[in-house]
Amino acid sequence: MTFEERAGAVRERMANAAVRAGRNPSDVLLVAVTKTRTVPEMLAAVPFAGAIVENRVQEAEGKKKSWPAGAVPSLPWRLIGHLQGNKARKALELFDTVDSLDSIPLAERLDRVAGEMDRSLPVLIEVNMAQEASKTGIALEGFDALLERVLILPHLCLEGLMTIGPLVENEAGVRRAFAGLRELAGKARARSGLPLPILSMGMSGDFEWAIQEGSTMVRIGSALFGPRNYG
Ligand SMILES: *Cc1c(COP(=O)(O)O)cnc(C)c1O
């Protein structure tokens, strides 16, 4: 299959899932998860994706250096991997948004550096809905405190929430986690008065369930590019 064929198949499955849920397909953004992919592979995704999504600061830095100037259309770059505080400055230089905000110290660090750079940083809070130790994201118990802190930090602009679906294979278990994030976003909206339009949930193996539970951003890697080779 060519890239165009894979992208077309993903888009069609996204649209079908949206329609099944009584939603408008255009309300769900496809973002391309490009960890381990080469710059030429990534450029093929540009016409099909709403954003370039990378997991690691260092990997993104190398790719941005060889990214052709004026590649059209230019896409925002979003960070979805766990970010260490000491890489906050570099992350702000490379990324338009941080989708994996998962602690108060990281929020404070990003806010301070964004202030020094005289910019505002859009963020998503990543929540470990699966309650799996192997998963990144803030534990549910810590969510309220992190939310309160983010709301008072002047250089962070909260746009929504993100989660990674649980490893279980059964539909009900996965959907329960996604529904939980949707409900949490509702509470955060009521608390903050902010629209919080982004619910980033769903990957290659579970994006249709995520769309049925209200996802507005699906993060797709292997279904677009083929299996990952970590070499
Ligand atoms: C790698 C990754 C994805 C994409 O995974 P695929 O299964 O290849 O679609 C999405 N979200 C996060 C956080 C990831 O690390």
Side-chain angles (χ1 to χ4, degrees), residues 31-35 37 53-55 80-81 100 126 136 162-164 200 202-207 218-228 230:
V31 300
V33 178
T34 52
K35 60 180 175 240
R37 312 299 175 180
V53 176
E54 282 278 331
N55 289 62
I80 55 169
S100 44
E126 182 188 353
T136 50
M162 165 185 159
T163 198
I164 300 175
S200 172
M203 321 194 332
S204 293
D206 56 18
F207 69 86
V218 291
R219 310 179 304 266
I220 308 295
S222 36
L224 280 179
F225 296 99
R228 256 186 307 280
Y230 284 95

Side-chain angles (χ1 to χ4, degrees), residues 6 8 46 76 95 102 123 128 143 173 179 187 197 201 203 226:
R6 281 195 298 266
V46 165
F95 290 94
D102 60 1
V123 294
N128 182 355
F143 177 79
K187 285 182 200 149
M201 53 191 200
M203 321 194 332

Side-chain angles (χ1 to χ4, degrees), residues 148-161:
E148 295 301 325
R149 188 61 56 97
V150 170
L151 293 177
I152 58 172
L153 291 173
H155 302 100
L156 299 188
C157 173
L158 183 64
E159 296 197 324
L161 307 183

